[in-house]
Amino acid sequence: MTETRDKLIQGTIATLRDKGIAGTSARVIAAAAGVNQALVFYHFGSVDELIDAACREGAAERVAVYREQFEKVASLRELLALGRSLNETERAAGNVAVLAQVLAGAQQDHNLAAAAQHALALWIEEIETALVRLLAGNPVAEVVDAAGLARGIAASFIGIELYEGVDPDGADRALAALETLGVLVEVVEDLGPVARRALRARLRRTQRSSKQ
Amino acid sequence: MTETRDKLIQGTIATLRDKGIAGTSARVIAAAAGVNQALVFYHFGSVDELIDAACREGAAERVAVYREQFEKVASLRELLALGRSLNETERAAGNVAVLAQVLAGAQQDHNLAAAAQHALALWIEEIETALVRLLAGNPVAEVVDAAGLARGIAASFIGIELYEGVDPDGADRALAALETLGVLVEVVEDLGPVARRALRARLRRTQRSSKQ
DNA sequence: GTCTATAGAGGGATAGAC
DNA sequence: GTCTATCCCTCTATAGAC
């Protein structure tokens, strides 16, 4: 039955969020889902495969909710604002925590690694598409790798989510500071050709010194 | 005996690195350390307390190695370069992975949370001290919270470390892109008063739009 | 300080009744 | 598809010999 399958997926998300990857087991998931423990293996074969499915389906569902908003974003400032409100909502729902826990478990498990990469790729694609669109014409676009930046932003959100668990106030300040840094990209745009020249000169120096 | 204690600490670091927080148990740690399993409880009381000790001592030891280099750094560019080489070395030694795994476990465990916060605080303090020194006189310093930025940098390194486990190539590109972004701070410095004015104008706009 | 042995809980997974 | 019952494993932690 598809209803049981769905209960197990939701139970897995709740368990990963509340008990972490170390506390996620077939028995605990089944209890959270309100179904019999043996059904985990009947429907998914193993706990790992259930986590895999929950991770993929959970991310796909949430990304779909935000796709429209990503498409509407008209400036880097708006993208940062969307990132912040998205992070707050998803954090409250526990979806960032799930990603972080699966990512932690993925370091030692190939199946979880594939699931985590797939789920993150959905978010990264949205960020990257928006970045490419918004950085068009900005001097920064000529020197920065949009795909790398999108991955860096996604990974940083995960890191800050984990840090929030041990220092909520510090995590808020971290988000605010990185947001301020993002505004620098717009400042460079405001300054046009002047900034473009300075940026190129700086980057030449940086690349030279890091190549040796 | 202090030798057994030390073996257990090293065994814990190796286990967290190789098997993750979900695969770290008294038995596995003892096997890695080459000592009897019961000694975990004799010396540390519980597995959690051993992880706590390993996390704190491991971080203190590694931060001490880098303190001198942090103090020598003379520009933001050099700080970024140090961050990159530090991340490569520590990643290879597994120390970033240990922090990431403890941080993942810390979301559900108050003792681990305290240990993770303490260990991270050591790194954050070094970064923050260097940032305050290097940003002196930079227009960015007037608008950015150095403490928040230091926390954001540390958390981002953790996030990218976890991402590296599922997409090594993407993680490299992420680091490179964030490094390029850091260079923007120097560009703003190069541009002096012009950039200062543009930055202030931008930030006023950003703060207005995010307050509502 | 170090060992063996073990209690008692919880884990993954399966067999077989319904 | 769902259930109970169960196997066998690993886990934390302790008792007690050495």
Side-chain angles (χ1 to χ4, degrees):
Chain A
M1 219 176 192
T2 185
E3 191 195 324
T4 301
R5 220 193 99 94
D6 208 62
K7 277 187 196 166
L8 282 169
I9 295 276
Q10 293 307 318
T12 305
I13 291 173
T15 304
L16 281 170
R17 179 188 62 212
D18 299 336
K19 320 239 175 196
I21 186 77
T24 296
S25 71
R27 284 166 154 83
V28 176
I29 290 171
V35 304
N36 189 282
Q37 179 250 141
L39 295 176
V40 167
F41 304 96
Y42 176 80
H43 285 284
F44 294 93
S46 72
V47 176
D48 272 9
E49 284 167 286
L50 170 52
I51 295 176
D52 182 314
C55 179
R56 289 171 197 261
E57 292 181 26
E61 185 191 313
R62 302 308 302 171
V63 169
V65 170
Y66 287 101
R67 174 151 303 132
E68 212 181 320
Q69 293 183 56
F70 270 109
E71 282 168 3
K72 268 194 221 143
V73 160
S75 71
L76 205 63
R77 200 168 60 247
E78 280 178 37
L79 182 60
L80 290 171
L82 173 59
R84 173 166 274 227
S85 89
L86 186 157
N87 191 55
E88 274 167 28
T89 310
E90 293 307 292
R91 184 180 154 74
N95 294 306
V96 193
V98 169
L99 266 178
Q101 292 297 324
V102 173
L103 209 47
Q107 310 296 308
Q108 289 82 30
D109 184 311
H110 289 105
N111 294 330
L112 285 189
Q117 184 175 12
H118 182 262
L120 269 170
L122 295 176
W123 287 110
I124 289 168
E125 196 192 321
E126 296 298 320
I127 301 172
E128 188 176 340
T129 302
L131 277 179
V132 167
R133 182 163 54 84
L134 298 173
L135 287 180
N138 190 306
V140 173
E142 299 167 23
V143 295
V144 83
D145 170 27
L149 187 55
R151 279 154 184 78
I153 290 171
S156 297
F157 271 114
I158 301 280
I160 291 173
E161 157 73 22
L162 285 175
Y163 186 61
E164 184 138 14
V166 306
D167 179 10
D169 192 59
D172 275 358
R173 293 171 72 183
L175 268 179
L178 293 182
E179 215 171 311
T180 307
L181 221 55
V183 171
L184 289 186
V185 176
E186 294 196 320
V187 169
V188 169
E189 186 167 21
D190 291 345
L191 296 176
V194 186
R196 185 174 270 118
R197 275 196 301 276
L199 186 54
R200 284 188 186 148
R202 265 289 169 195
L203 281 168
R204 271 196 302 275
R205 260 185 284 174
T206 302
Q207 274 149 18
R208 251 205 313 278
S209 67
S210 68
K211 286 288 182 220
Q212 57 205 0
Chain B
M1 220 176 191
T2 186
E3 191 194 324
T4 301
R5 219 193 101 93
D6 209 61
K7 278 187 196 167
L8 280 169
I9 296 275
Q10 294 308 317
T12 304
I13 292 173
T15 304
L16 281 170
R17 179 188 62 211
D18 299 336
K19 319 239 175 199
I21 187 77
T24 295
S25 72
R27 283 167 152 81
V28 176
I29 291 171
V35 307
N36 190 282
Q37 178 251 144
L39 295 176
V40 166
F41 304 95
Y42 176 79
H43 285 284
F44 294 92
S46 71
V47 176
D48 272 9
E49 283 168 286
L50 170 52
I51 295 176
D52 183 314
C55 180
R56 288 171 197 261
E57 291 181 27
E61 184 192 311
R62 301 309 302 171
V63 169
V65 170
Y66 288 100
R67 175 153 302 133
E68 211 180 321
Q69 294 182 56
F70 270 108
E71 281 168 5
K72 269 194 220 144
V73 160
S75 70
L76 205 64
R77 200 167 60 247
E78 281 179 37
L79 182 61
L80 289 171
L82 174 59
R84 173 167 275 228
S85 89
L86 187 157
N87 191 55
E88 274 167 27
T89 311
E90 293 308 292
R91 184 181 155 74
N95 293 308
V96 193
V98 169
L99 266 179
Q101 291 296 324
V102 172
L103 209 47
Q107 309 298 308
Q108 288 82 31
D109 184 311
H110 288 106
N111 295 330
L112 286 189
Q117 185 174 11
H118 182 263
L120 268 170
L122 295 175
W123 287 110
I124 289 168
E125 196 191 322
E126 295 297 321
I127 300 171
E128 189 175 341
T129 304
L131 276 178
V132 167
R133 181 163 54 83
L134 298 173
L135 286 180
N138 189 307
V140 173
E142 298 169 24
V143 294
V144 84
D145 170 27
L149 187 55
R151 279 153 184 79
I153 291 171
S156 297
F157 271 114
I158 301 280
I160 291 173
E161 158 73 20
L162 286 176
Y163 186 61
E164 184 139 16
V166 307
D167 179 10
D169 192 59
D172 276 358
R173 294 172 70 184
L175 268 179
L178 293 183
E179 215 171 311
T180 306
L181 221 55
V183 170
L184 290 186
V185 176
E186 293 197 322
V187 169
V188 169
E189 187 166 22
D190 291 345
L191 297 176
V194 185
R196 185 173 272 119
R197 274 197 301 277
L199 187 54
R200 283 186 186 150
R202 265 290 168 194
L203 280 167
R204 270 197 302 276
R205 259 185 285 172
T206 301
Q207 274 150 17
R208 249 205 314 279
S209 67
S210 69
K211 287 291 181 216
Q212 57 204 0

